[in-house]
Amino acid sequence: MRLHFNEIDSTSVFLKNNVGEFNHGDWVSADYQSAGHGQVGNGWESESGRNVLLSLLMNPNKIPACEGFRITEVVTLGILDALSDFDLRIKWPNDIYAGDGKLCGILIETGILGGHIDKAIVGIGLNVNQTCFESDAPNPVSLAQLSGKEFNVNEMAERVVTMVFERYERGVECHEEYLSHLYRRGEWHEFQRSDGARFEAMIVDVERNGLLAMKLRSGEIVHFEFKSIKYIL
Ligand code: BTN
């Protein structure tokens, strides 16, 4: 089932507040969100009717809470499948990048029951036809900017949801594939810790629990949790 709103505060908030009315595979979309939100309490900018704004519900089958990162892998790779005409990367853990520009933001909120992931609300904001961004987001980019063409937003939303659930239903291990699409993997770059200190490191791996493994110039391998490290772009 799909529910579409012309305007809503946030598709993810709506789905969360009404989750009992929805089943695995259902999704909520909107032309405009008055209070769309991203990770770390940021807002999510989107001109009305110009971009994909949706939240889908997954009721995963027997994914232990400690393996919740599998959902991130399925969702990010499903979106890459939907956008296979473009040369895209996954910026750990779950942004979709074109070059150094952010094309798509994903917010995954999970509920855990009996040690397993009981539900995942997956919010997806994909920049499609917007060409001018006014928020202080550092590096947004859209499909229209990348291609010089406009796209049908509704068809794009359907395609993204179809491809994400196709990935999910396939149920195959996709960790290596996720790694193979990782932005800045295997290259030396500058990063910033949460205390502001900058350092050079190379992304070498992502652990099963989603921690980012990085090699320092000293050869030491260090692990980072989401939000404890920033990429210097
Ligand atoms: C990020 O900060 O990168 C995540 C952005 C997620 C935005 C989407 S838009 C649809 C859904 N509803 C929201 O309020 N947020 C997500």
Side-chain angles (χ1 to χ4, degrees):
M1 172 177 78
R2 174 188 184 181
L3 194 58
H4 183 80
F5 293 91
N6 295 334
E7 180 173 342
I8 196 169
D9 51 357
S10 153
T11 54
S12 284
V13 170
F14 178 86
L15 190 49
K16 214 179 319 172
N17 290 343
N18 298 280
V19 72
E21 318 285 317
F22 293 91
N23 296 308
H24 176 84
D26 291 346
W27 53 296
V28 177
S29 57
D31 290 336
Y32 181 72
Q33 297 183 128
S34 55
H37 63 270
Q39 301 149 0
V40 267
N42 294 332
W44 185 255
E45 176 186 355
S46 180
E47 272 175 14
S48 183
R50 304 290 284 160
N51 303 312
V52 167
L53 299 170
L54 67 87
S55 299
L56 57 87
L57 179 64
M58 281 182 178
N59 292 126
N61 201 2
K62 298 241 174 304
I63 298 188
C66 61
E67 291 177 25
F69 197 72
R70 280 164 53 190
I71 296 173
T72 300
E73 293 173 349
V74 161
V75 170
T76 49
L77 289 171
I79 294 173
L80 290 201
D81 292 342
L83 299 171
S84 56
D85 289 347
F86 294 85
D87 183 20
L88 304 176
R89 295 278 176 278
I90 302 166
K91 177 168 169 274
W92 173 85
N94 58 11
D95 287 340
I96 306 295
Y97 264 48
D100 292 324
K102 179 163 169 170
L103 179 69
C104 177
I106 302 167
L107 183 66
I108 302 178
E109 298 166 280
T110 51
I112 292 165
L113 192 69
H116 286 79
I117 309 251
D118 167 50
K119 58 174 85 68
I121 292 177
V122 179
I124 299 173
L126 168 65
N127 298 328
V128 180
N129 291 326
Q130 185 163 343
T131 52
C132 178
F133 293 87
E134 286 172 359
S135 75
D136 53 6
N139 54 345
V141 71
S142 67
L143 294 177
Q145 286 173 317
L146 293 173
S147 65
K149 290 192 298 199
E150 291 226 337
F151 294 82
N152 180 311
V153 174
N154 186 48
E155 280 174 19
M156 191 57 79
E158 299 265 357
R159 187 175 163 79
V160 164
V161 173
T162 303
M163 295 310 228
V164 166
F165 279 106
E166 216 166 82
R167 271 273 169 184
Y168 176 85
E169 302 306 339
R170 235 184 285 161
V172 293
E173 166 59 48
C174 52
H175 187 65
E176 286 306 320
E177 197 178 350
Y178 173 89
L179 288 178
S180 73
H181 292 286
L182 212 53
Y183 174 73
R184 291 194 170 173
R185 179 185 179 212
E187 301 164 9
W188 291 103
H189 286 280
E190 223 190 348
F191 296 86
Q192 188 172 30
R193 295 178 200 267
S194 31
D195 64 3
R198 290 190 176 194
F199 63 102
E200 238 194 340
M202 181 192 281
I203 295 175
V204 288
D205 202 357
V206 176
E207 303 295 339
R208 292 305 170 133
N209 57 10
L211 290 186
L212 184 67
M214 306 184 91
K215 183 156 90 180
L216 303 180
R217 283 289 187 187
S218 63
E220 187 192 349
I221 303 290
V222 285
H223 291 90
F224 289 93
E225 281 177 9
F226 180 43
K227 293 173 193 162
S228 68
I229 186 173
K230 216 168 105 181
Y231 292 60
I232 305 298
L233 296 176

